[in-house]
Amino acid sequence: MQIAVYGKGGIGKSTVSANLSAALALKGEKVLQIGCDPKHDSTRLLHHGQKVVTVLDYILNTPEDAQDPKAILMQGFSGTGCIEAGGPKPGMGCAGRGILTCFEFLNKHSVLDPYGTIVYDVLGDVVCGGFAVPARKRYAEAVYIVSSGEAMSLYAANNILQGIRNLDPDGRRIAGIIYNSRGSGDEKSRVFEFAEAVGLPVCVSIPRSEAFSKAEKLACTLAELDGSYEEAQLFSGLAEMILQGPELFTAQPVSEEAMELFLQGKPFNVTPGGKATRPALSASAPSAPAKGSVSVNAAPAKKKALSDPFGRVPLFGCAFRGAVDLAVHVKDAAVLCHAPKSCTWYAVNGITSYSRRGLFDRGVLYPAFIPRQFGCTDIDIHDAVYGGAGHAREKSLELADRGIKTIIAVTACIPGLSGDDLEPLKEELKARGTDMYIVRTDGVEAGDYNDGMALCYRTLADEAIQAPDAPDADSINIVYEQTWSSRTDGDYEAMKRIFDALGIKVNCRFLCATSIEDVRRFRNAPCSIMARRDRLGAELKAFLQNKYGCRFVDGCFPEGFKQTADLVCQLGKLYSKERRAEALISENLGLYRAVMAELKERFCGTRTMVFLSRKNDWLAELTEDLGLDVVCACVPQSAGAPDTGWGRRFSAGWAEDRDRFAKKTSELDPELILTSDPSVVPDPRQGVSVITVPGSVLKGFFGAAEEARKWARLLDADIKGRWRDDRSVFEKYYS
Amino acid sequence: MTDQYLRNTTPDSISGAVSACRGIKNSLVLINGPHGCKTYYSFGMGQTLPKASDLWGIRGELSVKDAFADDLLRSQYHTGSVHVPATNLRYEDFIFGTAGQLRRALDTVLQDRDYSLITVIQAPGTSLLSESLEPLLEDVSDRTGIPYLYIESTGLSGNFDKGYDDAVVKLLDRFARKAPAVKRTGARPSVNLFGLHDYQRYLEGDLEEITRLLDLCGIDVNLAICADCRLEDIRDLYAADANVLLTAERCGSTRDHLRKNSPIPVIDVGWMPVGPDLTERFVKQVSGALGTDCGPAQKYIEKTRAKIFYHIAKRTGGRGLPKDVRYAAEGEASMLYAFADYLTGYLGIVPEALHVLFDGTDTGGEEPLCTLLKEAGCEKALKSDISKVKDVILLGTANTIAHVLSYSGNVFGIETMCPSSGYIDVLPKTCLGCTGSLFLLEQILNGMRLLRAWE
């Protein structure tokens, strides 16, 4: 059983919660109490005032991979577990977010699992989405509201009912009112009158008593102080009631006007259905809260705490942007950004930068980068405060009315903060013949650009791909092409030439310049090929394999002659086109040898040093084919971690590697330095040529050879220019 | 959807605030936001504007140190821009508050560079936290001696001009000395220019041209607000003799602020001087208000008129530009008014579509445009869909040009606003004044040839 104790601030929720937990524990229950208040004193009476490590402080100061839930779990009276969520300093941050984060942490580490009863002690009122967490469906099954007969306490109790009704209009979640007397006037009758008005029982009446002060001073519960106290017996009775399964009721707050009349002591009308005549329901057996999902191939990288100044590897682009950048590649779908204009502008501006550049640099228009069906809900402050799902509905229906059959809705941080739920909208649109796919990149915690792409990939892979309707044995899918590179088109064309030569058609490009129809027919192809390889790609591949049993070609788009020939061979076997494959390889091998012979004259025997941020197969093949004399090769990252180059670049290790390389350079006296990072050679000595090596080259048989041709041109035209001599003049006028 | 496209491809209010603040020489504009906002407002902005990396100031305050400071750009706070870093917030900062990371960022960023101003702008998400960061900024400012400006919110879905205008008012309010400064005896009159920003396609050339025109009128430019001015110039704002407001939409709140606080007169021009007629009106209005002689400027304009006539006559034999040529344009109403006055009123080209950006700003920019179009019998241009035009000369951003080209191959684009296509301007260009009249004509004449070539 999971119980949430709500009530106005200072009304005694923590005292009630702790005494209730103690009483439950004495009845043999395994109890966990979670204090959901930034001031973190909910469990003090249970653990006798131990030094508290709150969950949020722990998360902030402990590297993610070193986090251990034992550090935040204290043992209290009679084996009770005690946890304090904690929160930011007053006036800073967002305590409600903190509660959400705390619960994510507890779920991730399965902290709640061993306990039979969990008592949530929740701050004051249902003040925001975060504090409403314990009242949400998957957490508390029974909600108790602590109230005295004071006006503001009852007012808060009514607000809490209102909040719970908003969360779960028809759910039976309320167990009743715990009347905690302040010992003033006729408060008892007011509490009972209110309880009747809202159709709830008063489960227990706790008198004002010195016993509480005594226990408070000793930092213990009444049960521990002296179980024979009458007040202790009251909690024992309440615990028994809970263990029996309390009757539960729907939240039926009275209207504000009626509440006002009530508080003034005037007659008032109760909202319909507000009497305690509604059928009660027994609480069901405790259910475990949902667990956080874990990435398929989570890398066990060492991390640092966020409070550590070096704990934040710079990330580039947010999840929202990553998802939008990918979604626009489904050409016949409308992309609806549920976001402020600011986010949309930067996403669109980023996307269209390819079209602008393409137009100017190459005179080519890339339609995928001029998204025509692109909407934004233009979230304003009203939406942020009150929720913007209605606004999203308006925009979506507009799109549907315009005949749009597929909408990809991508949500930004603000709807995440305000808790917008677009799921009902999805159903409504479905009934009108429009499919909506929701990519929930809503919130800073959704991750970075890659995480957003991953969400978009997963959403469409999971929801859009359908059973095969017309299988085509001579077709192939291309998965995970680079969507923001000017190379993508060239690579695709190069691969398509190879497929064409083998008589294989491209079935679906998932997701690059594609259509929702192609995505749906993904499974018509017997085989797929990954365009590139990294952690995200591996996760996507595993997902498609696990969910649909998709078959993949080994490796990805090939670079260099050898990889390309291997792939052609493999495709020949897979598609029973061995003879075509052999012919294709043999035809290109002759051409390749001729090109290499010509280039070898220029490069053979050149003393060369190589500095790469990651392993590079095509370069290894090329240096060999060109006959370069490689005297030193520095590749700081292992081959098994192809996506870590970026993080490496921002680490202290990078500077060490650079220094080592510089030392080697002066020792080995090379003629040529090939590097993926020219800043490792900031000031090369006279006579040394430095060439920046790209991370990848054009795919297919001749991409690497073309790269070598460029080197030759660079080396043959190494004229410095006299402009460098004018640095002093520049500094004179400009600095 | 077309309106949505154009709305989505025009910058937002935070961009406006960033543009205003980074228009102050050697200022630091720190976005207090997560990594997404960091990328877009620092890297994204650098890519959007012709300044590219932002290592080069438009008046050239480049330091070699910046140009080759690869280490700096490797820090967690920068992405391609020295002057617009961000705090690189994580989810946890939204819970515990952003002050800790903001302090770390400022400590790092201020470590080895001397900035003239620190501006902290809250990103959309952080603006909802309502944090009181002033005490922290006060402390940093006391310690470093660098003044600060804190912009808590620019609105979630506001437009560029609003963000720019509001930021200018904040700067004036915080830094401009209230009393008029003592003027040098015998000095020429001077003006402050308002309404220029770096989302204009040719800011550097625009400033040069306006300065040249005013110089010919015997007037100096004291400062062009937020167009690479110094903070000291803003403090001494009222050392000038008048404030000249150029674009209604960019100066709505500024106008109100100046009218209330400025001890020197406000010359509310309301539009940019495009084409010889508006240029002449501009110089007359400003020099008239300051009592100077605009004769030399008029002579310059007269020569420009002659040159325009020569080029049109040479190509059309005095018949004028071909009547079937049309143009379309996007921009604020006051910018459209200026373009329409030149292209329609002076050159006699019919507008096919005029798309007003940032409508609803209620700054009075639309009225002159509507009047002009009504007099020319071209009101329907305001109702036409700019994204569907074809066979036109199109004045706008590279985004709109690319968008229209995706429907129709027969369009000649003239970039008047950012984002641009990326053409690198070594020689400063402008669409304003006499030089701008000729530059626009040059493009129109060549554009017409291209349009004809496709027929």
Side-chain angles (χ1 to χ4, degrees):
Chain A
M1 169 68 79
Q2 301 196 58
I3 298 155
V5 179
Y6 276 89
K8 178 184 166 291
I11 200 63
K13 293 180 302 298
S14 298
T15 307
V16 166
S17 301
N19 280 293
L20 179 58
S21 294
L24 284 161
L26 286 175
K27 290 184 183 297
E29 271 297 291
K30 194 154 172 54
V31 183
L32 173 68
Q33 180 167 322
I34 302 175
C36 305
D37 185 332
K39 68 182 195 295
H40 60 268
D41 59 357
S42 166
T43 55
R44 178 177 166 269
L45 301 183
L46 290 170
H47 61 67
H48 313 129
Q50 288 177 44
K51 183 174 165 31
V52 172
V53 178
T54 69
V55 177
L56 293 176
D57 274 351
Y58 185 69
I59 292 172
L60 183 70
N61 296 310
T62 313
E64 200 182 327
D65 48 5
Q67 287 169 2
D68 180 353
K70 289 193 199 87
I72 50 92
L73 182 62
M74 292 169 287
Q75 289 302 309
F77 171 65
S78 195
T80 50
C82 304
I83 288 175
E84 295 285 355
K89 288 176 193 157
M92 289 293 168
C94 175
R97 290 267 109 196
I99 300 293
L100 288 168
T101 305
C102 168
F103 275 75
E104 280 160 17
F105 177 85
L106 298 178
N107 284 332
K108 182 178 163 190
H109 294 283
S110 307
V111 177
L112 311 186
D113 290 359
Y115 294 95
T117 300
I118 296 160
V119 177
Y120 301 100
D121 174 13
V122 194
L123 173 73
D125 206 333
V126 184
V127 289
C128 73
F131 287 102
V133 171
R136 286 183 185 166
K137 282 179 184 174
R138 62 182 183 156
Y139 291 103
E141 294 145 291
V143 173
Y144 286 93
I145 300 169
V146 182
S147 179
S148 70
E150 290 166 316
M152 292 324 291
S153 175
L154 291 170
Y155 191 82
N158 197 52
N159 265 354
I160 291 161
L161 291 173
Q162 186 67 58
I164 292 170
R165 189 167 73 168
N166 290 344
L167 289 169
D168 188 9
D170 303 316
R172 294 174 190 280
R173 314 281 303 285
I174 317 291
I177 292 171
I178 295 175
Y179 164 40
N180 192 22
S181 172
R182 310 302 285 249
S184 62
D186 61 343
E187 61 170 338
K188 186 171 182 180
S189 62
R190 284 158 68 94
V191 172
F192 277 82
E193 200 180 335
F194 172 75
E196 190 188 356
V198 295
L200 293 174
V202 177
C203 300
V204 62
S205 296
I206 302 169
R208 191 172 175 76
S209 160
E210 278 302 309
F212 288 106
S213 309
K214 206 182 277 181
E216 192 90 18
K217 273 183 192 160
L218 296 168
C220 66
T221 59
L222 292 173
E224 195 176 0
L225 182 67
D226 184 350
S228 65
Y229 273 123
E230 186 188 335
E231 293 82 0
Q233 292 303 313
L234 289 173
F235 284 104
S236 179
L238 182 59
E240 192 57 44
M241 198 189 296
I242 288 168
L243 293 175
Q244 294 300 317
E247 287 186 72
L248 296 175
F249 304 91
T250 53
Q252 296 284 354
V254 297
S255 68
E256 269 191 47
E257 294 78 9
M259 197 64 203
E260 186 56 37
L261 290 170
F262 170 70
L263 293 175
Q264 289 175 23
K266 294 176 181 168
F268 67 98
N269 293 322
V270 178
T271 48
K275 297 289 177 191
T277 50
R278 286 158 285 149
L281 192 74
S282 287
S284 57
S287 60
K291 310 271 192 309
S293 63
V294 179
S295 173
V296 184
N297 288 338
K302 279 278 172 201
K303 292 175 182 171
K304 293 183 178 188
L306 282 169
S307 56
D308 184 327
F310 301 105
R312 300 168 193 239
V313 173
L315 300 171
F316 296 87
C318 60
F320 168 79
R321 170 72 194 276
V324 171
D325 275 16
L326 196 57
V328 296
H329 279 268
V330 185
K331 291 178 295 187
D332 50 352
V335 176
L336 178 66
C337 296
H338 188 32
K341 174 180 166 50
S342 298
C343 306
T344 310
W345 144 246
Y346 273 99
V348 173
N349 191 40
I351 295 162
T352 54
S353 69
Y354 299 108
S355 65
R356 295 195 301 269
R357 256 189 11 220
L359 190 61
F360 175 67
D361 296 346
R362 304 172 175 205
V364 176
L365 264 173
Y366 297 114
F369 298 123
I370 307 173
R372 291 178 183 179
Q373 305 296 352
F374 199 98
C376 173
T377 53
D378 280 339
I379 284 176
D380 57 18
I381 194 73
H382 183 275
D383 295 326
V385 174
Y386 299 103
H391 210 153
R393 180 177 179 272
E394 231 172 74
K395 291 277 179 183
S396 304
L397 295 181
E398 259 176 44
L399 291 171
D401 288 344
R402 212 173 287 170
I404 302 287
K405 291 291 169 203
T406 307
I407 299 172
I408 303 175
V410 186
T411 56
C413 292
I414 304 290
L417 292 169
S418 49
D420 289 354
D421 180 10
L422 301 187
E423 207 57 43
L425 173 61
K426 183 177 176 177
E427 296 305 316
E428 184 182 350
L429 286 166
K430 183 86 188 161
R432 297 170 67 128
T434 297
D435 290 319
M436 177 182 258
Y437 302 97
I438 307 169
V439 186
R440 291 178 186 81
T441 46
D442 50 2
V444 185
E445 78 276 29
D448 73 350
Y449 188 93
N450 265 5
D451 293 313
M453 288 182 78
L455 269 172
C456 189
Y457 272 127
R458 248 175 264 151
T459 304
L460 291 175
D462 194 25
E463 298 177 24
I465 293 176
Q466 297 177 353
D469 56 354
D472 182 350
D474 285 339
S475 66
I476 192 166
N477 299 312
I478 298 172
V479 177
Y480 196 50
E481 281 171 274
Q482 191 79 278
T483 48
W484 43 265
S485 166
S486 55
R487 278 234 165 97
T488 302
D489 279 2
D491 286 345
Y492 172 70
E493 290 304 328
M495 289 308 297
K496 195 167 174 299
R497 277 195 294 276
I498 291 173
F499 295 139
D500 286 346
L502 294 172
I504 300 169
K505 280 182 292 192
V506 175
N507 178 57
C508 170
R509 295 172 74 185
F510 189 83
L511 293 161
C512 186
T514 187
S515 69
I516 198 71
E517 262 321 297
D518 284 354
V519 172
R520 285 178 181 142
R521 293 189 287 107
F522 184 89
R523 291 171 69 192
N524 281 349
C527 213
S528 301
I529 181 169
M530 297 298 294
R532 59 198 169 110
R533 179 176 44 194
D534 63 14
R535 191 174 135 195
L536 171 57
E539 286 181 11
L540 177 62
K541 183 178 171 184
F543 179 88
L544 291 166
Q545 285 171 323
N546 295 337
K547 173 142 189 173
Y548 300 115
C550 293
R551 188 174 182 190
F552 278 84
V553 172
D554 289 339
C556 53
F557 276 7
E559 291 179 333
F561 192 90
K562 184 175 180 311
Q563 274 189 11
T564 309
D566 288 348
L567 175 80
V568 170
C569 245
Q570 194 189 160
L571 288 171
K573 282 180 194 151
L574 278 170
Y575 287 85
S576 303
K577 295 173 185 295
E578 287 92 339
R579 291 180 64 181
R580 280 194 191 204
E582 267 171 39
L584 186 62
I585 293 167
S586 140
E587 177 191 332
N588 284 290
L589 183 60
L591 292 170
Y592 181 77
R593 282 182 177 150
V595 171
M596 280 299 126
E598 177 198 329
L599 288 168
K600 219 169 174 174
E601 283 176 23
R602 174 68 186 79
F603 288 102
C604 192
T606 306
R607 280 175 67 78
T608 306
M609 285 180 70
V610 179
F611 184 97
L612 299 174
S613 57
R614 66 188 65 174
K615 193 168 169 279
N616 188 331
D617 290 337
W618 65 263
L619 187 66
E621 182 189 13
L622 190 61
T623 51
E624 198 178 323
D625 290 351
L626 291 173
L628 290 171
D629 176 16
V630 179
V631 292
C632 170
C634 176
V635 186
Q637 289 297 304
S638 68
D643 60 343
T644 54
W646 193 245
R648 177 78 180 174
R649 194 164 147 70
F650 287 85
S651 68
W654 177 87
E656 286 165 22
D657 293 335
R658 177 194 55 187
D659 294 345
R660 268 204 300 274
F661 189 75
K663 201 170 158 215
K664 277 273 176 203
T665 307
S666 53
E667 282 169 22
L668 295 171
D669 195 25
E671 298 163 78
L672 173 65
I673 295 175
L674 298 172
T675 174
S676 60
D677 183 355
S679 55
V680 295
V681 203
D683 202 8
R685 67 165 176 74
Q686 194 70 28
V688 179
S689 301
V690 180
I691 288 179
T692 307
V693 176
S696 65
V697 287
L698 187 70
K699 308 299 182 283
F701 292 107
F702 295 98
E706 280 306 311
E707 195 58 31
R709 274 194 201 280
K710 280 186 210 162
W711 299 351
R713 278 197 295 275
L714 286 171
L715 295 177
D716 293 343
D718 190 18
I719 302 168
K720 297 288 181 208
R722 287 190 296 274
W723 72 276
R724 290 165 193 277
D725 302 338
D726 287 337
R727 181 170 177 152
S728 58
V729 186
F730 157 73
E731 282 173 342
K732 179 179 168 187
Y733 290 106
Y734 283 85
S735 289
Chain B
M1 219 54 184
T2 297
D3 286 350
Q4 270 294 324
Y5 177 83
L6 293 172
R7 180 168 164 70
N8 294 335
T9 53
T10 52
D12 67 319
S13 50
I14 297 183
S15 304
V18 172
S19 172
C21 297
R22 76 183 208 147
I24 294 167
K25 215 181 259 292
N26 204 28
S27 67
L28 168 71
V29 183
L30 182 64
I31 306 294
N32 190 27
H35 49 275
C37 303
K38 170 194 161 190
T39 311
Y40 308 141
Y41 292 101
S42 52
F43 180 72
M45 205 141 189
Q47 295 298 305
T48 299
L49 301 172
K51 285 198 251 178
S53 72
D54 192 34
L55 298 172
W56 304 77
I58 57 169
R59 280 183 185 167
E61 80 276 29
L62 167 76
S63 81
V64 172
K65 187 181 175 187
D66 283 348
F68 300 104
D70 197 46
D71 283 348
L72 181 80
L73 301 181
R74 191 174 283 116
S75 91
Q76 63 164 299
Y77 307 109
H78 294 88
T79 318
S81 166
V82 173
H83 294 285
V84 192
T87 47
N88 191 22
L89 298 179
R90 294 292 154 84
Y91 175 58
E92 289 75 5
D93 299 306
F94 283 75
I95 301 161
F96 293 99
T98 64
Q101 181 66 0
L102 176 61
R103 187 179 282 281
R104 280 192 285 272
L106 283 170
D107 286 350
T108 306
V109 170
L110 294 173
Q111 214 166 33
D112 63 349
R113 270 175 177 69
D114 295 322
Y115 290 99
S116 62
L117 170 69
I118 300 165
T119 305
V120 173
I121 300 176
Q122 295 285 68
T126 44
S127 72
L128 296 177
L129 296 178
S130 302
E131 289 186 296
S132 171
L133 298 173
E134 288 94 337
L136 185 156
L137 294 171
E138 202 72 60
D139 178 49
V140 172
S141 180
D142 286 349
R143 197 159 36 83
T144 58
I146 305 170
Y148 79 90
L149 180 73
Y150 175 46
I151 299 181
E152 191 175 344
S153 173
T154 65
L156 286 183
S157 286
N159 69 50
F160 180 92
D161 280 359
K162 182 83 174 73
Y164 173 84
D165 192 18
D166 288 349
V168 168
V169 170
K170 281 191 169 69
L171 283 162
L172 296 182
D173 200 37
R174 189 161 170 80
F175 297 112
R177 292 188 184 106
K178 307 296 175 212
V182 180
K183 293 182 174 57
R184 283 178 290 123
T185 47
R188 298 203 315 174
S190 66
V191 294
N192 302 315
L193 298 175
F194 291 82
L196 296 158
H197 60 57
D198 56 8
Y199 267 76
Q200 286 167 226
R201 179 64 182 84
Y202 303 113
L203 178 59
E204 185 182 4
D206 291 348
L207 256 174
E208 277 186 8
E209 180 66 8
I210 290 179
T211 304
R212 184 182 303 127
L213 286 165
L214 291 172
D215 180 52
L216 290 170
C217 297
I219 299 166
D220 290 330
V221 173
N222 180 53
L223 98 163
I225 191 98
C226 299
D228 226 25
C229 68
R230 297 180 313 150
L231 185 64
E232 267 317 297
D233 296 335
I234 296 182
R235 291 192 198 280
D236 292 335
L237 184 76
Y238 302 130
D241 295 279
N243 299 306
V244 177
L245 310 189
L246 284 167
T247 308
E249 295 82 357
R250 301 174 194 174
C251 302
S253 305
T254 306
R255 180 175 50 199
D256 297 342
H257 178 89
L258 288 173
R259 281 188 176 150
K260 200 172 157 195
N261 297 288
S262 171
I264 56 173
V266 174
I267 303 171
D268 190 2
V269 177
W271 32 261
M272 292 284 186
V274 177
D277 286 348
L278 284 187
T279 304
E280 190 157 353
R281 268 172 65 190
F282 169 72
V283 296
K284 280 181 177 169
Q285 192 176 351
V286 179
S287 69
L290 296 176
T292 64
D293 175 19
C294 64
Q298 281 183 287
K299 188 87 183 163
Y300 175 43
I301 296 165
E302 192 179 83
K303 282 182 182 171
T304 304
R305 290 179 187 277
K307 208 165 195 175
I308 293 169
F309 187 91
Y310 163 78
H311 280 288
I312 297 175
K314 186 177 173 188
R315 266 115 203 136
T316 64
R319 293 184 305 277
L321 298 173
K323 294 299 169 200
D324 58 340
V325 170
R326 299 282 188 273
Y327 75 95
E330 66 174 342
E332 296 112 317
S334 62
M335 279 309 299
L336 290 178
Y337 166 71
F339 285 130
D341 188 78
Y342 180 40
L343 270 71
T344 300
Y346 190 80
L347 297 177
I349 310 174
V350 176
E352 179 81 19
L354 297 173
H355 183 85
V356 180
L357 291 176
F358 311 145
D359 52 338
T361 47
D362 196 24
T363 46
E366 285 199 36
E367 200 186 319
L369 174 66
C370 294
T371 308
L372 184 150
L373 292 175
K374 196 171 177 188
E375 283 170 6
C378 300
E379 303 105 302
K380 69 173 186 186
L382 278 173
K383 295 192 173 71
S384 300
D385 184 347
I386 196 170
S387 72
K388 297 289 190 293
V389 292
K390 53 183 181 178
D391 307 329
V392 294
I393 289 161
L394 174 60
L395 290 78
T397 70
N399 271 338
T400 306
I401 292 166
H403 180 69
V404 172
L405 276 169
S406 74
Y407 287 95
S408 164
N410 205 21
V411 168
F412 183 82
I414 299 176
E415 289 179 21
T416 54
M417 291 164 67
C418 290
S420 77
S421 62
Y423 185 86
I424 297 162
D425 298 288
V426 176
L427 283 175
K429 299 174 183 65
T430 180
C431 293
L432 306 185
C434 296
T435 311
S437 303
L438 296 173
F439 181 52
L440 280 172
L441 180 67
E442 178 180 304
Q443 292 182 86
I444 289 165
L445 290 172
N446 286 296
M448 286 190 320
R449 289 178 64 186
L450 180 137
L451 295 180
R452 287 293 166 86
W454 284 92
E455 282 174 356

